Amino acid sequence: MIQEVVSVGLAVDERWKIIKNRIEPETGGNANLKRICIVTGTHGDELEGQYVCYELARRINAHKEYLNGIVDIYPALNPLGIDCIMRSVPKFDLDMNRIFPGSNTSATTEYIAAQIMQDMSGADMAIDIHASNIFLRETPQVRVNETTADTLIPYARLLNTDFVWVHASATVLESTLAHSLNSTGVPCLVVEMGVGMRITREYCMQLVDGIFRVMCELGIWTGEAPEVREPIVSRDRHVSFVNAEASGIFVPCIEHWTHVEKGQHIGDIVYPATGEILHECCSEVSGHVFTLREYPVVYSGSLIARILEDESKEDV
């Protein structure tokens, strides 16, 4: 059932309206039912989550006899950004994921953030789905704050992603939806995958299987639990960055999420006018390439790749 979370009037008779699709068991409501929130569309140029919402709702509706809890699907926290193909909220020039937990007595954006928080309050689990930008491709991953790792990693392992990246507390912004939910007692996992402004169907299907596995663990879904892959779990200092050392066109010579050896050639930065190779990009470590440059134009310092190093002593 489509429900309105919050609606605020804008100029020219427009409205900023946040909706959710609440899917409940056929037997009706029960105050003791567990609830999971699936959230996406916080950034208007991240569209991977749109297909996840569609496929999740489709599968649940096809077999509602297995539903034993409440699934709240929030397909677009920033519908204006999606309409305008913008990361931020148009006209307000604000990152929607930098204003939580919001305030009921402040400006429009903060009021909407506060209403979203209120609507998700009391949920047993939230999954906040993001994509990368147009410049980088990310393998499906869960990002977790080290202060909540003990609670979240057992669920993160079930999400069918390739790895779980545990961030140091200093790198976590307190104004994000995930941090705000975790701070108020709602466990929230952040998923990052794919490319901005695109839908990578195989990644989406992979994550949907993981969401069903988590719902089985919570008792929300009584159908057969999907088989999920065991992710690598790693901490910040075991991620190596490859940055451009020249400006030009980056041409990769490896595939995304492949294993590379220390010193291995991963691509070239070329100068089209003269046919020169300006810089050969090589890995400084052995490991898996989980981030790879998608947009070929680069400048000195641009991120080319992130590599998850092998044999981390801090692996969980």
Side-chain angles (χ1 to χ4, degrees), residues 16-125:
W16 182 352
K17 183 167 67 174
I18 308 294
I19 64 166
K20 71 177 180 182
N21 180 13
R22 168 158 288 189
I23 310 177
E24 297 179 300
E26 294 177 331
T27 54
N30 184 324
N32 296 320
L33 289 177
K34 289 193 174 182
R35 175 164 61 106
I36 187 170
C37 298
I38 310 300
V39 190
T40 191
T42 308
H43 296 131
D45 60 351
E46 299 178 2
L47 304 177
E48 303 280 9
Q50 300 300 301
Y51 193 85
V52 172
C53 290
Y54 156 76
E55 181 64 17
L56 181 64
R58 186 193 68 79
R59 290 194 201 179
I60 292 174
N61 287 325
H63 295 284
K64 286 193 72 174
E65 68 272 18
Y66 297 135
L67 187 62
N68 190 45
I70 298 171
V71 180
D72 280 340
I73 298 175
Y74 301 78
L77 295 193
N78 180 12
L80 303 178
I82 292 177
D83 288 345
C84 298
I85 323 175
M86 291 180 62
R87 176 180 176 83
S88 60
V89 181
K91 300 298 182 183
F92 294 89
D93 195 26
L94 285 172
D95 186 330
M96 188 71 185
N97 209 28
R98 299 294 183 271
I99 56 175
F100 288 97
S103 169
N104 284 320
T105 59
S106 294
T108 299
T109 51
E110 292 191 46
Y111 171 76
I112 288 177
Q115 292 296 300
I116 292 169
M117 286 290 297
Q118 181 177 319
D119 198 74
M120 295 183 188
S121 176
D124 296 279
M125 177 64 65

Side-chain angles (χ1 to χ4, degrees), residues 48 51 137 193-195 198-205:
E48 303 280 9
Y51 193 85
R137 177 176 293 276
M193 64 181 188
V195 187
R198 297 290 183 272
I199 288 177
T200 312
R201 189 173 183 274
E202 58 269 31
Y203 289 173
C204 296
M205 300 296 276

Side-chain angles (χ1 to χ4, degrees), residues 9 18 20 31 38 44-45 58 92 96 100 103 133 144-145 151-152 157 170 173 178 183 238 254 264 286 297 308:
I18 308 294
K20 71 177 180 182
I38 310 300
D45 60 351
R58 186 193 68 79
F92 294 89
M96 188 71 185
F100 288 97
S103 169
N133 51 42
V144 175
N145 180 352
T151 300
L152 296 180
R157 287 184 181 275
L173 294 172
S183 297
H238 299 293
I254 59 167
Q264 183 173 334
S286 296
V297 177
L308 188 65

Side-chain angles (χ1 to χ4, degrees), residues 136 239-248 250 266-269 278-285 289 291-293 297-307:
L136 303 167
V239 172
S240 176
F241 294 78
V242 179
N243 297 95
E245 295 186 14
S247 299
F250 173 66
I266 64 174
D268 297 310
I269 299 173
L278 301 178
H279 177 63
E280 292 186 359
C281 302
C282 298
S283 175
E284 296 183 355
V285 299
V289 179
T291 304
L292 186 62
R293 187 79 180 183
V297 177
V298 297
Y299 299 95
S300 182
S302 294
L303 181 62
I304 297 296
R306 283 190 285 237
I307 301 170

